[in-house]
Amino acid sequence: METHTRVCVIGGGVVGCSVLYHLTKLGWSDVMLLERSELTSGSTWHAAGGFHTLNGDTNMAALQGYTIGLYKELEEITGMSCGLHHVGGITLADTPERFDMLKAERAKHRYMGLHTEILGPSEIKEMAELVNTDGILGGLYDPLDGHLDPSGTTHAYARAAKMGGATIQTHTKVTATTPNPDGTWTVETDQGTVIAEHVVNAGGLWAREVAAMAGIYLPLLPMAHQYIVTDDIPAIYERGTEFPHVIDPGGESYLRQEGRGLCIGFYEKPCEPWSVDGTPWDFGHELLNDQFEKIEDSIAFAYRRFPVLETAGVKSVIHGPFTFAPDGNPLVGPVPGLRNYWSACAVMAGFSQGGGVGLALAQWMIEGETERDPRAMDVARFGKWTTPGYTVPKVIENYQNRFSVSYPNEELPAARPFRTTMMYDIWSDMGAVFGQTYGLEVVNYFALPGEPRYETPSFRRSNAWEAVRAEVMAVRNGVGLNELQNFGKFRVTGPRARAWLDRIMAGRIPGPGRLALTPMLAPSGKLMGDFTVSCLGEAEFQLTASYGAQDQHLRWFETHLEDGVSVDNISDSRTGFQIAGPKARDVLAACTRADVSGTALSFLDVRPMTIGMAQCLVQRVSYTGDLGYEIYCSPSEHRHLFHTLWAAGQAHGIRPFGMRAMMSLRLDKFFGAWSREYSQDYTAAETGLDRFIQFAKPTAFIGRQAAEAERAAGPARRLCAFAVEATEADVVAYEPISLAGEVVGFCTSGGYAHYTDTSVALGFLPSDQIADGVTASIEILGQHCTARLLTTPLFDPDGTRMRG
């Protein structure tokens, strides 16, 4: 057994073997995989082996498309068969809401280059004659859908990896992983000890146990999943071609041909978490006992949708566990707080996603960043606040909703409320309707008197419309108050703090008492963050950014940390409120003895200030694009600060507002949002954030070379704003944008700007086709809506209100 390796991959399922192969593909040959039993000894061997591209996140869909395209390459490289069956697949819609979802997915596919089609009932019947189309409104056809041989595919990955120089050691159980001071890891096994520069946890069913060896908790849980293979069915084996995949979300089932019969599996509501307290090490090639009782209702529904099943005999029942994260996406990437420790876990759709996961992780390890924004699967999207008590109900919820309609405004209820601020009961008493971000309860809006305390999930304008409109008008015409807890906040201190920030951030680092907006770049020039940097002193700064991205940002900071600099995550230890609107200054002045006039506290100033009895930090800036202030305090003074501002605001008609109103207000100003307009998929020049890059500073900031090259050449695409002729549904994200009938761009976000009564969309177009007033077409739920390109903000275009 080798005693030293560059990378040690723990786990020999399809994901571990994919990671190993992609490391060799990208040039690292000194890599090894350790497997406690045989390859595929976990979830892989009993998987149904289906693959598809359909996914609500476009980067995950692209990752799945890559995975599917990789299989022929593996066959060519190794000479082995993956048992590929590209039969195509149809996802059925039996409700208008589900059909809306499929139309929205089809629209995304148009700009992604995926050739899917919306089918009517008669077309479905022609393609899949065994489907009872009664009650079916339509379906989405994807020609890439299919299935394969799980074992053959995994061994093809393994052979390709070994051909690239990798070593695979089976029957080798890892018993301990210990970090060393130099960043390497000591990996102890029952066959000896390995020193590895990097460790990859691809433990599958045992990923929790492997993580515990490194002193961490990964939020994942195995679920027991059951599918049935029928006896031979004449209508199948007498057919001239193979029967396509059919996903029937209304019946919680997926169906495909298996030999001369059919295979059908279920995501049933009465589901079963498996081995909640840990996976036995001696489990592997066993199956669970059959449990027909938990799928009785699903089977009854399947008989109605696929009548041929009712007379078909059962050849075998496959009932085995596989792992889920709380949101159903994988847990991939460098684990925050650990050097050179990587996760490749919770890949429940291993044969749809395993290839893309392997590629992304290999890119991350070798090149320092991924080709596509990994946010949807980044292990850092769940913080240290996750516990088994949180994971179990969320995973159950995700399993039960696997085939449910996914609405853009939906807030799922399991494991909530969990993390709350000191304001939770006050907001509740005021009619708050909550959402959640990074596990934290955040006010979406305040229900009007007599309205339900629940936003109806919809692809169209929801029942929150009037309440959100009232909040927007209150801000623009008077003053509104919004909680600031859901901002990510960091404290940077030390004698080299300024020099370090100058290297980490591409923009200007402000002087004492001032703040600045700046992008943070990767070496490729892609965006790693969008920050407000506040200088509280020459050796103390506050950074403010996305609350949900705080662990990703802290991981980046720690990766690039230098001596003489300390970075502390203060996201939950510094909180407060923002007040915004033309009366905001009047409210602030009534709460403090400090001078808050426009000359004493000007735009982008930051000052320590006593508000009521609370010692606060006040910043003259507001994401609403209006006159506004961010006021930070300690959590212990949070409620006092609220009561002080609230009492002073009564004379000015102060009103609380939530994130729905915030998102409407920012559209008037064409302000982008992190994870929408700004992400690792885009560069500063593409998004317009290059206006905040300080190219004149002498510092070799990260990403400078790429940013300067793009500055010289100009970006091929740019972010634009549109006024859309929409009626009952607005842009959400990823709708295609067409010019002269050709898809040339896509939307990043949108919605209704209530103050200016305009449906607004933000999105990318080719740079050479951007001009004020250009008429485009944006597809919303299958309807092509006229959209006029705008170059001047709808509200306060010269910044008089914001800066005055």
Side-chain angles (χ1 to χ4, degrees), residues 266-278:
F266 305 97
Y267 285 90
E268 69 286 354
K269 291 293 189 290
C271 57
E272 177 193 1
W274 182 80
S275 290
V276 173
D277 297 318

Side-chain angles (χ1 to χ4, degrees), residues 108-129:
K108 296 176 188 177
H109 296 163
R110 290 186 66 208
Y111 86 81
M112 292 177 66
L114 297 174
H115 302 292
T116 57
E117 300 176 40
I118 292 291
L119 305 179
S122 61
E123 295 170 301
I124 294 171
K125 193 71 175 177
E126 183 177 348
M127 189 175 290
E129 69 284 354

Side-chain angles (χ1 to χ4, degrees), residues 90 93 96 180 231 255 340 356 380 434 509 571:
I90 305 168
N180 301 315
D231 286 330
L255 175 140
N340 302 327
F434 290 96
I509 305 305
S571 298

Side-chain angles (χ1 to χ4, degrees), residues 312-361:
V314 174
K315 177 184 292 184
S316 60
V317 178
I318 310 298
H319 190 202
F322 63 129
T323 56
F324 283 76
D327 60 1
N329 279 342
L331 299 173
V332 178
V335 175
L338 296 179
R339 291 174 62 191
N340 302 327
Y341 189 95
W342 305 78
S343 174
C345 306
V347 190
M348 55 77 53
F351 293 98
S352 290
Q353 300 174 343
V357 165
L359 174 66
L361 195 70

Side-chain angles (χ1 to χ4, degrees), residues 339-545:
R339 291 174 62 191
N340 302 327
Y341 189 95
W342 305 78
S343 174
C345 306
V347 190
M348 55 77 53
F351 293 98
S352 290
Q353 300 174 343
V357 165
L359 174 66
L361 195 70
Q363 289 175 337
W364 219 331
M365 296 177 74
I366 296 171
E367 300 167 9
E369 57 182 301
T370 55
E371 177 184 355
R372 296 180 179 275
D373 183 2
R375 181 181 66 255
M377 62 178 179
D378 192 338
V379 65
R381 72 187 185 276
F382 295 106
K384 293 181 180 179
W385 49 269
T386 56
T387 65
Y390 170 86
T391 301
V392 172
K394 291 304 289 185
V395 167
I396 291 172
E397 177 185 62
N398 182 270
Y399 185 98
Q400 292 173 330
N401 287 281
R402 177 73 179 159
F403 283 155
S404 296
V405 177
S406 179
Y407 296 96
N409 67 329
E410 188 171 29
E411 298 284 352
L412 297 174
R416 294 179 56 199
F418 176 28
R419 304 177 67 230
T420 62
T421 74
M422 297 290 287
M423 288 295 296
Y424 184 77
D425 60 331
I426 293 176
W427 293 145
S428 295
D429 291 343
M430 297 175 76
V433 178
F434 290 96
Q436 71 85 31
T437 299
Y438 203 61
L440 178 74
E441 295 296 312
V442 176
V443 178
N444 278 343
Y445 69 96
F446 292 87
L448 295 174
E451 285 191 343
R453 299 279 296 276
Y454 173 75
E455 184 178 8
T456 303
S458 177
F459 288 94
R460 291 167 165 76
R461 294 170 184 168
S462 78
N463 62 306
W465 174 271
E466 292 298 337
V468 172
R469 184 178 183 83
E471 293 172 23
V472 167
M473 295 305 179
V475 173
R476 289 285 188 247
N477 296 323
V479 59
L481 179 147
N482 173 267
E483 194 170 18
L484 285 178
Q485 177 67 24
N486 60 320
F487 281 1
K489 298 170 283 288
F490 301 89
R491 183 171 179 260
V492 181
T493 56
R496 288 195 48 77
R498 176 177 291 277
W500 180 77
L501 284 170
D502 240 340
R503 184 174 70 86
I504 291 293
M505 301 295 175
R508 178 177 59 86
I509 305 305
R514 294 287 287 170
L515 62 87
L517 307 179
T518 173
M520 183 170 70
L521 306 181
S524 64
K526 298 284 186 70
L527 294 170
M528 291 300 297
D530 166 34
F531 283 86
T532 298
V533 178
S534 306
C535 181
L536 311 184
E538 275 302 331
E540 181 180 5
F541 297 81
Q542 176 174 299
L543 311 183
T544 310

Side-chain angles (χ1 to χ4, degrees), residues 148-173:
L148 46 66
D149 169 23
S151 178
T153 300
T154 304
H155 283 277
Y157 274 123
R159 177 176 288 184
K162 288 192 284 188
M163 292 170 66
T167 300
I168 295 176
Q169 185 93 15
T170 58
H171 299 284
T172 304
K173 179 184 175 183

Side-chain angles (χ1 to χ4, degrees), residues 43-121:
S43 298
T44 297
W45 77 270
H46 61 71
F51 54 79
H52 58 87
T53 60
L54 186 63
N55 192 295
D57 182 277
T58 55
N59 279 325
M60 292 300 295
L63 173 149
Q64 291 173 197
Y66 167 81
T67 300
I68 294 168
L70 179 64
Y71 292 133
K72 289 184 179 178
E73 178 184 324
L74 281 177
E75 290 183 329
E76 292 170 0
I77 291 171
T78 64
M80 298 175 67
S81 172
C82 293
L84 291 176
H85 295 256
H86 278 286
V87 298
I90 305 168
T91 302
L92 305 176
D94 57 354
T95 65
E97 294 77 16
R98 199 178 303 282
F99 204 25
D100 278 347
M101 185 179 81
L102 296 184
K103 287 185 284 189
E105 291 303 308
R106 166 63 185 128
K108 296 176 188 177
H109 296 163
R110 290 186 66 208
Y111 86 81
M112 292 177 66
L114 297 174
H115 302 292
T116 57
E117 300 176 40
I118 292 291
L119 305 179

